[in-house]
Amino acid sequence: MYKNLAGRAVLAWVTACFLSPAFSQTPAPNAPLKIGFVYVTPVTDAGWVRQHEEGRKAVDAALGAKVKTTFVENVAEGADAERVIRDLAQQGNKLIFTPSFGYMEPTLKVARDFPDVKFESITGYKQTPNVATANARYYEGRYLAGIAAGRMTKTNVAGYVAGFPIPEVLQGINAFALGMRSVNPNAKVVVVWLNEWFDPPKERDAAMALFNQNADVVAFHTGSTAVMAAAQERGKMAIAYHSDMRKIAPDAQIVAVTHQWGGYYTQRAKAVLDGTWKSGNLWGGVKEGMIRVGDFGTKVPKAVQQEVLARQQDIAAGKLQPFRAVAVDVRDNEGRVVIAKGAQLNDEQILKMNWLVEGVQGRVTR
């Protein structure tokens, strides 16, 4: 009898242990959705990664105990990214955001091995049943910043520090030049290519070189705040990108083109929670609240601020399209017509952009 009682006690203890949440292989029904984020640079006070970190925080704020988010920073594109993404999937993250173009292929590789995990390839363009893509129409903000730069410049020369000559960067340069020349036909834009996304010393040197070429305002498509700091140091003007950078350049900042990811990230997390998540592709801009221009510097007159904000409302309403030729043909900087009078580029043409518009000094390797 005692043997049977002892055996039953042991069996009951073992059964209780393995059926309890601490020992079970399946999550408890109320367990939070685990969400992972992979960042291509360290998390800094401003920049590309900062905006995605703000997006992660927005998910936490909106969904609270329903989610548990984590991030891994400073992850190089390529093999290292695949390792980190795979680790996040193995750790039980059921939704993983990978916001860098170079993460696209590693994301796809890992996704094949984890069909029950949802992946969001931010700036990627390849979808599968468990990999969605999303990007923002950064060029809309660039056009608006160009209007501000065109009004503020005294030398009619703007500099542009650019990472790589990929379509997204070309869209930004061209939209900036078109916006600038829409209010200042004599303006020109001088481009310096770095072939780097994040190299603060090189970014600073490029900005300084542009100031030495008579530019009194600079824009950039790189990952740090170095260009803004250079403008502050030299007493010049600059367009902040990714984030508001007035803390770094309180006197230099004209305006900021910021990316707003919190709404999209929260929406996608909710979709996983309620079982409605589907793969797809979103290219959102001002209308969708993913791009915003504002955070004007103290030197920008109210009239200029109001003009830029009015044009931002026009873009949101569909009344203004940066790549539409209204009064005359739009030509590239080699004289070829790239947008005929009255025509407008469609998304496919914008996504394949491989030219620089008239008024831009620089070359694109084709």
Side-chain angles (χ1 to χ4, degrees):
M1 179 178 177
Y2 289 102
K3 286 182 180 179
N4 287 340
L5 287 173
R8 289 175 184 173
V10 170
L11 179 60
W13 179 83
V14 171
T15 302
C17 287
F18 280 91
L19 290 179
S20 69
F23 290 84
S24 177
Q25 297 300 307
T26 53
N30 295 325
L33 170 67
K34 295 181 70 175
I35 307 174
F37 293 77
V38 186
Y39 299 150
V40 72
T41 71
V43 177
T44 56
D45 289 339
W48 172 256
V49 165
R50 166 50 57 187
Q51 294 308 110
H52 292 281
E53 174 64 359
E54 292 301 316
R56 182 189 70 82
K57 290 180 177 179
V59 174
D60 281 342
L63 301 179
K66 294 179 181 179
V67 297
K68 182 180 180 181
T69 68
T70 188
F71 68 88
V72 183
E73 62 186 318
N74 204 22
V75 178
E77 296 173 335
D80 199 33
E82 182 181 344
R83 175 187 61 77
V84 170
I85 297 166
R86 190 174 299 278
D87 283 349
L88 287 170
Q90 290 172 337
Q91 291 164 18
N93 290 281
K94 294 300 182 182
L95 176 62
I96 299 175
F97 292 94
T98 57
S100 188
F101 180 77
Y103 291 164
M104 181 177 68
E105 294 298 342
T107 298
L108 291 166
K109 286 183 180 179
V110 177
R112 284 195 289 267
D113 296 334
F114 292 87
D116 61 332
V117 177
K118 310 296 189 294
F119 296 84
E120 295 275 345
S121 178
I122 307 301
T123 73
Y125 61 88
K126 295 181 180 179
Q127 300 101 39
T128 71
N130 66 325
V131 178
T133 57
N135 206 352
R137 296 180 185 268
Y138 313 106
Y139 68 86
E140 293 181 346
R142 296 293 197 179
Y143 184 91
L144 297 167
I147 293 173
R151 293 298 190 196
M152 296 297 293
T153 181
K154 299 294 190 294
T155 65
N156 294 330
V157 180
Y160 208 110
V161 179
F164 294 88
I166 63 172
E168 179 185 302
V169 179
L170 297 173
Q171 294 160 18
I173 295 169
N174 289 336
F176 179 77
L178 287 167
M180 196 174 185
R181 288 164 67 87
S182 73
V183 298
N184 185 345
N186 296 320
K188 65 178 182 179
V189 179
V190 182
V191 179
V192 174
W193 296 107
L194 297 187
N195 294 314
E196 300 278 359
W197 289 126
F198 187 82
D199 190 328
K202 286 181 71 172
E203 294 171 55
R204 180 185 184 280
D205 289 346
M208 291 299 188
L210 287 164
F211 294 139
N212 292 339
Q213 296 177 53
N214 206 34
D216 62 353
V217 58
V218 288
F220 62 96
H221 196 137
T222 49
S224 83
T225 60
V227 170
M228 300 299 293
Q232 179 72 18
E233 180 182 336
R234 286 286 293 270
K236 305 294 185 180
M237 298 177 289
I239 305 296
Y241 190 52
H242 309 301
S243 309
D244 176 12
M245 297 182 176
R246 283 175 292 183
K247 287 185 179 179
I248 293 92
D251 303 315
Q253 181 165 309
I254 296 176
V255 70
V257 179
T258 60
H259 316 158
Q260 309 294 323
W261 292 101
Y264 177 76
Y265 284 176
T266 301
Q267 175 191 349
R268 299 302 276 169
K270 285 180 177 177
V272 175
L273 285 167
D274 64 24
T276 62
W277 188 97
K278 291 182 180 179
S279 179
N281 176 55
L282 175 68
W283 197 18
V286 170
K287 179 181 178 181
E288 293 78 11
M290 296 175 73
I291 294 295
R292 185 178 70 83
V293 170
D295 307 312
F296 294 96
T298 57
K299 296 180 180 178
V300 182
K302 284 293 182 184
V304 174
Q305 297 183 35
Q306 291 168 354
E307 180 181 19
V308 171
L309 294 176
R311 297 295 80 75
Q312 183 164 235
Q313 291 178 344
D314 288 343
I315 289 177
K319 297 177 181 178
L320 171 62
Q321 296 84 27
F323 296 124
R324 181 182 179 189
V326 178
V328 296
D329 293 340
V330 172
R331 298 177 181 271
D332 67 14
N333 64 0
E334 296 177 6
R336 292 177 293 224
V337 174
V338 287
I339 313 175
K341 177 182 175 181
Q344 176 182 334
L345 297 186
N346 59 35
D347 282 356
E348 183 179 2
Q349 291 169 318
I350 296 172
L351 288 167
K352 293 180 179 179
M353 190 170 286
N354 66 347
W355 44 266
L356 289 170
V357 76
E358 184 179 20
V360 176
Q361 292 184 4
R363 294 183 63 84
V364 178
T365 303
R366 293 186 175 90

